[in-house]
Amino acid sequence: MLGPADIDDWDEDESDRLRAAIRLLPIMRRMRDEPGAARAAIGATLATRLEAFSQDARRPVHELRSLLDDLRRLRV
């Protein structure tokens, strides 16, 4: 199983690394297990962005980087 240290070592494509880093965040598991509670905890705007990522993770690098930064700032 991959972890954050493994992802930091990737040097293929930045978008692949960013997608993997987002998928490893605890909020992704919470969105899957408790979507209502997770949505309330992170707010509608960020939840919408995260749901869009879940439906189609092939996003531009700048969008992935922004999403990852915003999710890392969460304290939920």
Side-chain angles (χ1 to χ4, degrees), residues 11-64:
D11 59 0
E12 290 294 319
D13 181 5
E14 184 178 7
S15 61
D16 287 340
R17 184 184 62 77
L18 291 168
R19 281 191 288 274
I22 291 168
R23 288 181 177 126
L24 283 175
L25 293 173
I27 192 62
M28 292 298 291
R29 185 172 41 256
R30 189 164 183 204
M31 282 293 285
R32 184 187 67 238
D33 296 343
E34 306 172 71
R39 188 172 184 71
I42 66 175
T45 302
L46 190 52
T48 299
R49 290 171 59 202
L50 195 54
E51 289 165 353
F53 169 83
S54 293
Q55 292 173 4
D56 180 13
R58 294 193 183 279
R59 306 266 174 205
V61 170
H62 71 277
E63 189 177 322
L64 293 169

